[in-house]
Amino acid sequence: MRWWSAANMVSNAGTWMQLTAQNLLMLHLTGSAAATGLSLSVQAAPGLLLGVLGGAVVDAWPRRLTATVSQVLLALVGLLTAALVATGHLTVPVLMGLAAVTGLIATVDAPACALLGNDLVPPKDVPSSIALGSVVSGAGRVGGTALAGVVVSWWGPGAAYAANGLSFLAVAAVIPFLRPHPAAAPQTPAAAPRRPAPRTAGPAPARRGTGAREGLGFFLRRPRLVALAGITAISSVFGRNYGLTLAVLVTGPLGGAAGAFGTVSTVLAVGGVAGAVLAGRLRSPSVRMVGALAATGAVLQIAAGLSPSVWVLLLLVAPMAVVESVSDTAGTTVLQTDPPPHLRGRVLGVWRTAGTGWSLVGPPLLGLLMQTAGARGALVAGGVLIAGSITAGAVLHDRRTRRAPVVDEGRGTGLPEPVTVTYAPLSGGREAPAAPAACRTPGHGELCAAGCVPVA
């Protein structure tokens, strides 16, 4: 894990260095901010369109091999771009195409690397692993953005691309030496020891495939994952675009200069890293915890929108960043540990598609809200929408839970008692196999060869 974290620190710094250089390069080639924004959208588009398929690839192939190949391909794209810049052959269409290829490879690379890091620790330490990844990502972002200014000013944008290509090769060189923790869950059902199938006249269980449809179906049938997506979507659209809302608030109603917003951004970054460190102590976060933290962050956002001065705003954004960082880490932990191991890549692919969608829709909606209500109004209204939606969802869930019938067999557990099943001798004098264990799913009875059957 130490080697993996160090390699990812280097890679994250290189990624943010390249992204900064890409924006500067596009501005230099076109002189258009709209074209620069379009290049970012082109890079994000594969995640929206092909995220589910990328997750299916991660589940279908060995994780270390998949991550190694994707890192090498990303390195080749970075080095190729650096060579085109150095030789003067880079054009806007070529740069757009390379951005799209980078986004396409990332649809496989992102879930593969995320799950590979979790495989290096025992299951109880997965929340700490995810929190450590958040710390590494935040530190790499700050360091990479700062280094980009130095590298581009001294050696040009091609040097930033070359450095990022080498950082990907550094990660690819480390992956073959990583060994999964013995207690880590197997990636696929095939990795588990096979047991002889019981001799039964019942139908054979359906084969679990590796297609994208299984991951999407699991996600949509899992209420806690759908609720997590709803919480994250509304929080991302109306509460996380502080680079836009707080910039307008500080330089507008609060009358601060660009340096004041830089201070606010620094406090947000430090608070985010501190929150990720605190989140490392989580052991079994729940969707309810994620919602409570997100609602708390929304209340702090409302207070930030009403701040009378920059100093008051600074006092509010620090705990706001901490709370939201812990919420993000808790949500990521639920997302990566709730599905069975053989479906986690596909569930992350579904999440990448959904996340790309709300990240593209969010800024225009927030901009429209700011144009209508101003920076203060956007922060306050956004916070009210987030806190109100989460609270309403929690109340509806509690009411639905209270109305659900509970089976009580006299032991106060709310679970049905095991059903005794008598097996008749099979033809030829052979005895039937012993009765399997009773199903412990509420509202279901004996677990037989055909599966878990409902109890009337």
Side-chain angles (χ1 to χ4, degrees):
M1 176 55 78
R2 285 192 292 270
W3 278 101
W4 179 241
S5 299
N8 273 285
M9 176 76 79
V10 174
S11 182
N12 272 289
T15 296
W16 282 99
M17 191 187 306
Q18 175 176 308
L19 185 60
T20 304
Q22 177 177 317
N23 293 339
L24 295 174
L25 188 59
M26 185 61 71
L27 281 173
H28 174 73
L29 292 174
T30 65
S32 169
T36 304
L38 180 60
S39 69
L40 297 177
S41 297
V42 167
Q43 186 163 326
L48 177 64
L49 302 175
L50 301 173
V52 177
L53 294 178
V57 171
V58 172
D59 281 339
W61 293 91
R63 205 162 283 157
R64 286 194 299 168
L65 174 62
T66 305
T68 301
V69 172
S70 63
Q71 290 285 310
V72 170
L73 291 176
L74 288 171
L76 292 177
V77 172
L79 295 175
L80 174 61
T81 309
L84 292 174
V85 172
T87 57
H89 290 89
L90 186 67
T91 62
V92 173
V94 171
L95 185 57
M96 290 283 193
L98 291 172
V101 171
T102 299
L104 179 62
I105 300 172
T107 61
V108 175
D109 180 74
C113 289
L115 296 175
L116 179 59
N118 295 345
D119 290 342
L120 304 178
V121 299
K124 68 181 181 65
D125 288 335
V126 167
S128 295
S129 171
I130 294 172
L132 179 59
S134 298
V135 173
V136 168
S137 178
R141 177 175 185 172
V142 173
T145 304
L147 282 173
V150 177
V151 172
V152 172
S153 62
W154 284 9
W155 298 291
Y161 277 95
N164 190 37
L166 294 176
S167 74
F168 286 126
L169 291 179
V171 177
V174 168
I175 291 176
F177 298 97
L178 302 177
R179 293 293 178 267
H181 192 276
Q187 178 181 349
T188 64
R194 296 179 179 267
R195 297 181 179 179
R199 291 173 296 180
T200 175
R207 180 182 180 271
R208 289 184 286 186
T210 56
R213 184 182 302 175
E214 287 83 1
L216 180 60
F218 177 87
F219 191 96
L220 295 178
R221 291 192 303 270
R222 192 71 170 162
R224 67 196 312 248
L225 294 182
V226 175
L228 180 64
I231 293 169
T232 307
I234 193 169
S235 298
S236 299
V237 171
F238 295 105
R240 303 297 174 87
N241 291 290
Y242 296 132
L244 177 60
T245 53
L246 293 184
V248 177
L249 177 67
V250 170
T251 58
L254 297 183
F261 175 65
T263 304
V264 171
S265 299
T266 301
V267 172
L268 282 170
V270 173
V273 173
V277 173
L278 291 176
R281 302 182 65 86
L282 297 174
R283 280 296 175 262
S284 55
S286 63
V287 176
R288 184 177 292 272
M289 176 190 293
V290 176
L293 290 169
T296 302
V299 172
L300 291 171
Q301 175 181 317
I302 294 171
L306 300 174
S307 299
S309 66
V310 174
W311 293 108
V312 174
L313 180 63
L314 288 172
L315 294 176
L316 290 168
V317 296
M320 185 167 67
V322 170
V323 167
E324 292 187 350
S325 179
V326 176
S327 176
D328 287 344
T329 303
T332 302
T333 301
V334 172
L335 179 69
Q336 294 184 13
T337 57
D338 180 76
H342 69 282
L343 278 172
R344 286 174 183 170
R346 280 165 284 182
V347 169
L348 288 183
V350 174
W351 189 266
R352 184 175 182 85
T353 295
T356 304
W358 62 61
S359 67
L360 293 177
V361 170
L365 283 178
L366 191 60
L368 182 61
L369 182 60
M370 290 180 64
Q371 185 176 353
T372 304
R376 289 189 186 276
L379 285 166
V380 172
V384 170
L385 283 171
I386 297 169
S389 299
I390 293 173
T391 302
V395 170
L396 290 175
H397 174 73
D398 290 343
R399 287 182 178 178
R400 187 177 303 168
T401 303
R402 284 196 297 267
R403 291 176 181 175
V406 178
V407 179
D408 188 353
E409 297 292 335
R411 295 190 180 185
T413 61
L415 298 178
E417 287 300 301
V419 179
T420 302
V421 178
T422 302
Y423 287 80
L426 299 177
S427 59
R430 294 183 290 111
E431 291 295 329
C439 177
R440 292 296 180 181
T441 303
H444 287 65
E446 185 71 19
L447 182 64
C448 62
C452 205
V453 295
V455 174

